[in-house]
Each structure stands twice: as structure tokens, then as C-alpha cells.
Amino acid sequence: RRMSDFNPFRRRIKRELSITFMSGPLDGKKLAFEQPPVGEEHVITIGRREGCDIHISFDNQISRVHARLGCISVPTPEDSFSISPYVLTFWLEDGGSRNGTFIEKDEDPIEGRVGIRPETLFRIGRTWLRLDIPIAYGE
């Protein structure tokens, strides 16, 4: 970059989405992931298998690949009143687990892909997790 392009007031924005453990030995621990580029999707795997993005080895009620959480960055139309060039949408799906994936206080496990919103609690095995409100901040 040329020095003439330097603007001391312009900060690079880092966009993250996070999941917080709400029970168990990792209660309160927050895991951060990058938001997908506009028009793309990021899928987070959750399970006992070591290669999962969220690896939970302490809960024997969790399957190897128990669930998937997806984040899609959808461009907003130019004529919209939104201040952001994109909006994030989220979904959760069970990965064919033995014990099911549950949202909030629902007694029945989810079936197929279910849309969820930030601040939603969900349970896999005996472990509660929360999808946090996505943040963007200066680096």
C-alpha cells in the first residue's frame, strides 16, 4: 500500500460469530468462528469426533458428528434501508445422532434443517450451547 492511501481513522473490520457453552465443564467458554464472505455459507460441525469444529469429548450422549450449525451471509438489496451490505441467517440440523438435537425447551428433537436466531439455546447430548449475537469490531 502507498502511504497516500493510509487513513489513520479507517480500521479493518473483523467479523465473527460465536458459540458459548452454557453447561458442563466448559460452561461460559466462548468459541469464535469467522463469518462467511457475502453470498457464502460456513458450516460448523459439533460432536465427539476430534475433527469437529466444536469438539465435545466429555459428554457420552453426543454422537461422533452430532449436529451442524450453518451461517449464511446474504447480500442486502441496494434499495433496502439496511446499513449493512449483508445479513446473516443461521440454521441447525441434527447429524443423524442417537439422542437428538433440541432447541430451547422443546421436548421433541429437531428434524431436518431448522432456522435459528442469535441468543438461541440448543442442546446436544447433555450439553447446552448458545448461538451468540454476531459481532464486528475493529482490529
Side-chain angles (χ1 to χ4, degrees), residues 88-90 104 116-121 130-134:
L88 296 175
T89 62
F90 298 92
E104 298 285 343
I116 64 169
R117 305 180 103 152
E119 295 296 300
T120 299
L121 292 171
R130 180 185 67 208
L131 172 62
D132 299 319
I133 295 174

Side-chain angles (χ1 to χ4, degrees), residues 8-77:
F9 300 105
R10 184 172 171 218
R11 296 192 309 192
R12 185 165 175 241
I13 301 296
K14 182 170 184 164
R15 293 178 173 85
E16 288 188 345
L17 59 104
S18 63
I19 311 279
T20 300
F21 282 89
M22 302 302 288
S23 69
L26 299 178
D27 188 13
K29 180 179 171 93
K30 188 174 292 221
L31 301 173
F33 301 91
E34 278 190 42
Q35 292 177 12
V38 177
E40 294 187 24
E41 178 177 53
H42 184 130
V43 178
I44 298 166
T45 56
I46 307 167
R48 257 189 13 247
R49 181 175 284 157
E50 242 178 79
C52 287
D53 299 306
I54 299 177
H55 175 232
I56 306 173
S57 60
F58 56 83
D59 187 338
N60 65 5
Q61 297 294 307
I62 293 177
S63 297
R64 287 184 194 101
V65 178
H66 194 104
R68 288 185 264 310
L69 175 69
C71 175
I72 305 168
S73 179
V74 181
T76 54

